[in-house]
Amino acid sequence: MEPRDQDAAAGPPPARPRYGEAVFRPEEAGEGERIDFGALAYDDVTMARLRALGVGPGWRCLDVGAGTGTVSRRLVEEAGVAGVLAVDRDVRFLAARPVAGLDLLEADVTAPGFDPGRFRLVHARFVLMHLPEPERVVARLAGLVEPGGVLVLSDAVDLTGGTAPGTPYAVAMRAMWRGLRDTIGTDVSWVPSYPVLLRAAGLRRVGAEVHVPPLVPGSPISRFWADTWERSRAAMVSTGLVDDAALDGAVRYLESEECAALSAGMLTVWGRR
């Protein structure tokens, strides 16, 4: 009998951990608060764009990767939409703050059978950058938009690469992006291609804008990054770009009056069916 091939005997390599597994686990104390710091930095901009696109009474909306549900609830309570279906792989934060008109679905948008219906608005923020095969996911979400409806996608754009000064903040951010890519597959390099992907998915009247919140001591975005670094510390240190002392120094820099840096921007792109 010939010996079995060792690689074949071992089977396929294990799947890469995903967001919420190796890092940013929802069961960890304070994870909901970390997400809410990001919401405080970006929600007003998101809501202004959605309202400018006409989102309001009569609209049925899908919020993918809804997190703690801040956008979903504001769509119901402020924009007066007909209803929101909020989808996440873990809905514990959504279930903790229910409101009338907000329905929950615990599901994976990448699963083959994911098809919750058709919606006037399909929205996803800071979701696709953590998922593989972005073209496929964009096409799937575009297919959930009813005629006359709009797809709105937002994700991070990295402003610490290239010739950006090597401040403690920038060094930490570079380590974070690489560590998250190596650990859970997060990849923001393709985010600027959003407009092309929406056009390829058959959408029209495609538009885009970028928002960069100011990094000032004690601001929601500064607190969000400090907390994010702490929760991804092991992944960041494993890159060799920072050690624990450098990361602690970057947090102090972020919280000081000496901080002079650009936060990651939020690129928002929209297109109509």
Side-chain angles (χ1 to χ4, degrees):
M1 179 182 294
E2 295 184 358
R4 296 177 64 192
D5 181 90
Q6 291 184 348
D7 291 337
R16 185 201 297 267
R18 298 180 62 179
Y19 182 102
E21 296 173 351
V23 291
F24 312 132
R25 292 187 291 271
E27 65 270 19
E28 288 187 347
E31 177 59 14
E33 287 78 3
R34 183 190 74 90
I35 296 171
D36 281 343
F37 282 136
L40 286 170
Y42 294 109
D43 273 7
D44 286 347
V45 174
T46 293
M47 289 302 301
R49 172 45 52 195
L50 296 180
R51 296 298 293 272
L53 290 169
V55 178
W59 284 55
R60 185 166 174 260
C61 308
L62 176 67
D63 192 14
V64 175
T68 60
T70 56
V71 170
S72 296
R73 285 190 295 275
R74 289 182 68 170
L75 284 170
V76 173
E77 297 173 339
E78 298 176 18
V81 301
V84 177
L85 178 61
V87 178
D88 208 292
R89 290 174 61 227
D90 189 311
V91 299
R92 73 184 68 195
F93 300 132
L94 292 158
R97 292 180 260 180
V99 297
L102 174 59
D103 296 317
L104 310 183
L105 175 62
E106 191 164 86
D108 184 348
V109 67
T110 66
F114 181 78
D115 187 4
R118 300 298 176 269
F119 301 84
R120 187 87 175 271
L121 167 69
V122 175
H123 171 258
R125 187 178 72 183
F126 302 134
V127 176
L128 275 67
M129 60 193 253
H130 301 296
L131 301 178
E133 301 182 272
E135 298 91 342
R136 180 181 172 192
V137 179
V138 169
R140 169 170 287 187
L141 295 181
L144 302 178
V145 180
E146 67 182 30
V150 61
L151 173 63
V152 181
L153 302 176
S154 298
D155 257 326
V157 284
D158 179 21
L159 301 178
T160 57
T163 59
T167 65
Y169 166 83
V171 172
M173 289 297 282
R174 291 166 187 160
M176 183 198 73
W177 291 126
R178 184 181 297 182
L180 293 181
R181 183 194 64 195
D182 294 345
T183 304
I184 59 174
T186 299
D187 184 2
V188 298
S189 66
W190 62 271
V191 172
S193 67
Y194 260 167
V196 173
L197 296 182
L198 265 65
R199 283 286 295 163
L203 302 183
R204 300 294 181 266
R205 297 168 63 186
V206 172
E209 62 189 359
V210 175
H211 172 68
V212 182
L215 285 172
V216 294
S219 65
I221 193 61
S222 293
R223 297 179 70 180
F224 172 80
W225 289 126
D227 201 358
T228 297
W229 293 346
E230 186 57 42
R231 291 169 188 273
S232 57
R233 177 180 288 263
M236 294 171 66
V237 171
S238 71
T239 67
L241 297 176
V242 293
D243 57 17
D244 284 313
L247 186 49
D248 291 341
V251 172
R252 291 193 298 271
Y253 177 82
L254 186 63
E255 296 172 347
S256 76
E257 296 292 343
E258 300 301 314
C259 183
L262 293 172
S263 175
M266 180 178 73
L267 174 66
T268 298
V269 179
W270 58 90
R272 294 190 180 273
R273 170 67 61 195

